């Protein structure tokens, strides 16, 4: 017996179209009770998420969440909610990331290199999504080892954090003195676009015996995933589904299965490291002064 | 009348790179003498051109048929061999990169060549690639400041590329065993060697874009063999990421230059092959992507032709630029090595 359509509460045109594109899974709702509530990620979006939960929503979709208050305590509180929260991020689609990871199979990640460009007001979002890509491609939480922000952009080194958790990322390395890392090096360089130039770009390269190239450039079309090994190159099929429809499907699936996505913990991890990356330059010696 | 070339070195760079390249320029050069360091490998290589062979430097440098000395030996020998060639009166030297491994040696070599009016060329083939010239022209024409540059390399063993340009392999260097890179000073030494051996291909171009080294943000060894280095130079964010793997995908060698308005990608062909110039593409601020045509001539051929032009008097020897390139490479390598030690000791 098929499940009845899940109600979706939204005023956003793109999400209303997405509901129309899910005629058997979703229907438009008039109030939050028992619905998937779509929250636009502007302003105090975290409060809007709490309000939706308090109003009886079964799940929430947050689209392109903006900055959260210092320390990201607001996001931490949302993690404690008992309803699923799906986060739709403009430069990090979970289905595209899954394509990239799946195509690699068990191939070892030797290094990840991210090149990007973003307008000043997009920089924080692009940085967090770049970190998200690194996290997904290396298979776990990261720690920030060094960073250098200037008005021209940001350069940084991150590495997998052994024993770390997504909800509480390590901002500075606590590795023992003299420890050698065989972990992949995750390096990032994002340049700032000129005033008036829009359209953030990300290029993610995974290096090793198997290469992965992910190109994200919305102006030029869907994200592109190419995987190269000894036998040749595989271009993954583009994901033509809209981000809005994908987000709704994920929320509906979470409601039906009872299995919440890790989106908020993922966001907390990425936002925390991105914010740290944009603070004063860090270097090994300065970090060493704070190591216990 | 082709000029006689005497080659010092009999490793993979000679067998699979310079000998095949020189065979493409029969009107300009003829290999007349090949010398190894005692391995005996020079005999088979010299036989390809009916050339003489020997071991050590003396016979090549004393051979009157040798007009151009091609120094293709291990990096630590380059400076000494350039000075020896100048001392015996040779007037043309092709020196594989790096020119020298210390600033003092680089200065001594350049001053000796300048004083003797020697035509000197350092084999940084990417610098001579027509595509690099095209990328530079685009930058100048657009006038935008460079924000960031990245150079990304993923390299499988060279054997697959040797196999398409020569026979008689495998051509491998001496087996030096596996270094203990858990020790900071060893990891730093390996990173330094890799920068002077691999990153050096693009360091002259990087010096064009970001000439004054300010700070190394990070530097570390990357397993199984490689490095990740980030530095700031003239305000430009520079990242170098290299991984050498035992097997797998075809090589990538890519430089990405980010300006406030556009992004320029220079994609070099794998080493050793003759597949034309690099491919330059530009992603403009409105999303347009322009792909420039490749040139049929690759950087390896181009650099030898520049040397021929120097010998004909049509191309000046830019001693100061050669010295500045050498010093930049050594400074980056030394600073990165120091940062590796700092990072592993923190």
């Amino acid at each position: 017996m098929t499940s009845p359509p899940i109600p979706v509460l939204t005023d956003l045109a793109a999400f209303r179209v997405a509901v129309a594109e899910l005629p058997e899974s979703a229907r438009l709702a008039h109030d939050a009770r028992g619905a998937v509530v779509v929250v636009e990620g502007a302003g105090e979006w975290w409060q809007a998420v709490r309000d939706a939960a308090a109003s009886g929503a079964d799940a929430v979709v947050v689209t392109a969440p903006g900055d959260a208050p210092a320390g990201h305590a607001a996001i931490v509180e949302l993690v404690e909610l008992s309803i699923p929260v799906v986060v739709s991020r403009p430069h990090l689609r979970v289905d595209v990331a899954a394509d990239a990871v799946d195509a690699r199979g068990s191939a070892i990640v030797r290094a990840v290199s991210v090149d990007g460009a973003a307008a000043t007001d997009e920089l924080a979002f692009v940085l967090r999504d770049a970190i998200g890509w690194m996290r997904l491609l290396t298979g776990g939480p990261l720690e920030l080892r060094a960073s250098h922000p200037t008005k021209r952009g940001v350069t940084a080194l991150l590495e997998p954090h052994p024993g770390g958790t997504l909800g509480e990322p390590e901002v500075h390395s606590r590795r023992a003195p003299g420890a050698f890392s065989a972990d992949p090096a995750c390096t990032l360089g994002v340049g700032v676009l000129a005033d008036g130039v829009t359209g953030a770009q990300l290029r993610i390269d995974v290096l090793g015996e198997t290469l992965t190239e992910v190109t994200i450039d919305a102006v030029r079309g869907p994200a592109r995933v190419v995987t190269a090994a000894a036998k040749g190159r595989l271009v993954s099929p583009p994901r033509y589904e809209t981000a809005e429809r994908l987000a709704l499907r994920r929320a509906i699936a979470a409601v039906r299965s009872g299995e919440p996505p890790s989106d908020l913990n993922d966001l907390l991890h990425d936002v925390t490291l991105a914010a740290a990356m944009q603070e004063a330059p860090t270097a090994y010696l300065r970090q060493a002064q704070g190591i216990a | 009348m082709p000029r006689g070339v005497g080659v010092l070195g009999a490793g993979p760079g000679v067998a699979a790179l310079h000998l095949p390249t020189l065979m493409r320029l029969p009107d300009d050069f003829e290999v007349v003498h090949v010398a190894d360091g005692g391995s005996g490998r020079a005999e088979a290589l010299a036989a390809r051109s009916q050339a003489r062979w020997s071991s050590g430097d003396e016979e090549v440098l004393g051979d009157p048929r040798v007009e151009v000395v091609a120094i293709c030996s291990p990096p630590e020998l380059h400076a000494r061999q350039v000075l020896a060639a100048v001392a015996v009166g040779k007037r043309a030297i092709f020196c594989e990169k790096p020119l020298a491994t210390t600033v003092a040696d680089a200065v001594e070599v350049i001053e000796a060549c300048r004083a003797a009016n020697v035509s000197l060329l350092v084999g940084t083939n990417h610098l001579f690639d027509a595509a690099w010239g095209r990328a530079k022209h685009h930058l100048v024409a657009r006038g935008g400041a460079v924000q960031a540059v990245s150079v990304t390399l993923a390299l499988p063993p060279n054997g697959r590329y040797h196999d398409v340009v020569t026979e008689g392999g495998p051509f491998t260097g001496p087996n030096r065993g596996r270094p203990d890179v858990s020790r900071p000073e060893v990891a730093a030494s390996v990173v330094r060697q890799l920068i002077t051996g691999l990153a050096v291909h693009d360091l002259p171009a990087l010096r064009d874009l970001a000439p004054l080294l300010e700070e190394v943000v990070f530097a570390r060894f990357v397993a199984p063999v490689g490095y990740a280095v980030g530095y700031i130079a003239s305000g430009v964010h520079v990242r170098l990421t290299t991984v050498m793997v035992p097997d797998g995908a075809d090589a990538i060698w890519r430089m990405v230059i980010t300006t406030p308005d556009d992004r320029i990608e220079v994609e070099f062909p794998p080493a050793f092959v003759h597949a034309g110039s690099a491919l330059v593409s530009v992603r403009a601020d409105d999303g347009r992507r322009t792909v420039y045509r490749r040139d049929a001539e690759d950087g390896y051929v181009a650099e030898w032709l520049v040397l021929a032009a120097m010998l004909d008097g049509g191309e000046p020897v830019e001693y100061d630029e050669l010295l500045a390139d050498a010093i930049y490479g050594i400074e980056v390598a030394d600073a990165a090595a120091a940062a590796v030690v700092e990072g592993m000791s923190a």
Side-chain angles (χ1 to χ4, degrees):
Chain A
M1 187 172 80
T2 58
S3 302
I6 300 286
V8 177
L9 180 65
T10 180
D11 290 331
L12 298 174
F15 276 90
R16 294 175 78 85
V17 169
V19 170
E21 291 176 340
L22 290 165
E24 297 185 359
S25 303
R27 63 175 174 83
L28 288 173
H30 299 288
D31 62 67
R33 183 159 300 280
V36 172
V37 176
V38 179
V39 170
E40 195 172 9
E44 296 189 352
W45 59 269
W46 55 91
Q47 185 61 50
V49 174
R50 286 206 290 265
D51 291 345
S55 299
D58 277 359
V60 175
V61 170
V62 183
T63 174
D67 282 339
H72 313 297
I75 302 177
V76 174
E77 288 178 10
L78 294 180
V79 175
E80 303 302 319
L81 292 176
S82 60
I83 59 171
V85 177
V86 168
V87 180
S88 181
R89 296 166 63 166
H91 316 105
L92 176 54
R93 281 182 58 141
V94 294
D95 51 351
V96 177
D99 290 342
V101 171
D102 291 347
R104 293 188 58 80
S106 58
I108 299 171
V109 175
R110 304 292 187 181
V112 182
S113 172
V114 179
D115 279 302
T120 302
D121 57 0
E122 287 183 297
L123 183 61
F125 300 97
V126 169
L127 287 176
R128 69 166 73 155
D129 288 350
I131 292 166
W133 275 103
M134 292 178 176
R135 168 177 50 77
L136 287 165
L137 289 163
T138 56
L142 302 168
E143 59 182 352
L144 181 65
R145 291 278 282 160
S147 65
H148 191 109
T150 70
K151 62 181 180 182
R152 294 200 198 189
V154 179
T155 293
L157 169 70
L158 301 95
E159 292 174 352
H161 178 52
T165 58
L166 283 171
E168 298 176 11
E170 285 288 343
V171 172
H172 299 295
S173 171
R174 294 180 185 273
R175 189 166 297 129
F180 161 69
S181 172
D183 291 331
C186 300
T187 71
L188 170 154
V190 178
V192 176
L193 293 170
D195 292 341
V197 177
T198 59
Q201 309 141 49
L202 275 176
R203 180 179 185 140
I204 301 106
D205 284 298
V206 182
L207 307 183
E209 287 83 337
T210 297
L211 304 173
T212 299
E213 301 171 12
V214 180
T215 305
I216 297 162
D217 189 347
V219 170
R220 293 188 51 79
R224 179 178 154 97
V225 176
V226 179
T227 309
K231 291 190 175 180
R233 291 158 60 91
L234 171 71
V235 182
S236 298
R239 293 283 187 168
Y240 292 114
E241 181 181 30
T242 66
E244 292 79 13
R245 189 177 187 275
L246 171 65
L248 283 186
R249 276 201 303 109
R250 294 182 65 226
I252 290 169
V255 169
R256 287 178 171 160
S257 69
E259 294 177 14
S262 62
D263 293 24
L264 282 176
N265 276 325
D266 296 345
L267 179 68
L268 181 61
H269 171 278
D270 301 343
V271 161
T272 302
L273 292 179
M277 202 180 277
Q278 291 184 277
E279 294 172 357
T282 60
Y284 299 117
L285 290 181
R286 282 184 279 259
Q287 289 180 15
Q289 294 170 9
I291 291 177
Chain B
M1 181 75 176
R3 291 176 169 94
V5 179
V7 182
L8 293 177
V14 175
L17 177 55
H18 290 298
L19 294 188
T21 299
L22 289 170
M23 288 301 292
R24 291 168 178 262
L25 301 169
D27 295 336
D28 297 286
F29 300 103
E30 177 190 6
V31 176
V32 298
H33 198 142
V34 182
D36 55 50
S39 66
R41 286 196 295 258
E43 182 176 10
L45 298 181
R48 299 181 187 184
S49 310
Q50 293 86 51
R52 276 184 63 188
W53 79 276
S54 61
S55 293
D57 304 346
E58 293 74 24
E59 292 188 43
V60 166
L61 297 182
D63 188 335
R65 293 186 59 198
V66 171
E67 184 176 354
V68 178
V69 178
I71 297 172
C72 306
S73 52
E76 59 270 21
L77 302 180
H78 290 184
R80 178 180 66 72
Q81 289 174 333
V82 171
L83 293 172
V86 173
V88 299
K90 299 301 181 186
R91 290 291 171 261
I93 298 172
F94 175 102
C95 183
E96 261 298 350
K97 51 204 169 298
L99 180 64
T101 57
T102 68
V103 173
D105 282 351
V107 172
E108 185 178 5
V109 161
I110 290 296
E111 291 315 310
C113 289
R114 192 197 311 262
N117 200 27
V118 166
S119 294
L120 172 67
L121 186 136
V122 179
T124 48
N125 56 294
H126 287 181
L127 198 64
F128 298 94
D129 193 309
W132 170 239
R134 198 162 293 124
K136 274 184 61 177
H137 177 79
H138 175 89
L139 285 168
V140 170
R142 291 283 287 175
V146 176
Q147 308 280 59
V149 185
S150 71
V151 181
T152 305
L153 281 63
L155 304 177
N158 284 324
R160 68 179 68 176
Y161 306 117
H162 297 168
D163 288 346
V164 302
V165 293
T166 192
E167 292 180 316
F171 305 102
T172 54
N175 185 356
R176 298 192 173 96
R178 190 182 293 272
D180 181 8
V181 290
S182 67
R183 293 168 52 197
E185 66 276 13
V186 174
S189 174
V190 172
V191 167
R192 190 183 188 283
Q193 285 181 52
L194 290 174
I195 290 175
T196 55
L198 279 177
V200 69
H201 285 75
D202 302 303
L203 289 177
L206 289 174
R207 186 179 73 84
D208 268 353
L209 303 174
L212 298 175
L213 179 62
E214 297 170 17
E215 177 181 350
V216 174
V217 180
F218 59 82
R220 56 159 281 189
F221 176 85
V222 175
V225 181
Y227 53 83
V229 177
Y231 66 89
I232 309 296
S234 302
V236 177
H237 293 243
V238 182
R239 279 181 311 118
L240 312 174
T241 311
T242 291
V243 177
M244 301 170 70
V245 290
D247 196 358
D250 211 24
I252 60 168
W253 198 312
R254 182 191 313 123
M255 177 184 294
V256 177
I257 304 165
T258 303
T259 77
D261 303 302
D262 51 23
R263 193 170 81 233
I264 302 147
E265 290 192 7
V266 184
E267 196 103 27
F268 293 98
F272 299 93
V273 304
H274 297 279
S277 71
L279 189 69
V280 176
S281 61
V282 180
R283 192 273 191 199
D285 54 6
D286 60 1
R288 274 180 306 139
R289 184 164 179 259
T290 302
V291 181
Y292 291 91
R293 64 171 175 78
R294 282 184 190 273
D295 280 70
E297 186 177 281
D298 57 72
Y300 299 124
V301 170
E303 62 190 3
W304 278 102
L305 287 176
V306 169
L307 181 59
M310 285 179 182
L311 292 168
D312 292 337
E315 189 81 23
V317 181
E318 298 183 319
Y319 297 111
D320 290 335
E321 292 297 305
L322 290 173
L323 179 59
D325 285 344
I327 291 174
Y328 186 85
I330 293 166
E331 285 181 343
V332 170
D334 286 346
V340 169
V341 174
E342 288 176 12
M344 293 179 69
S345 303

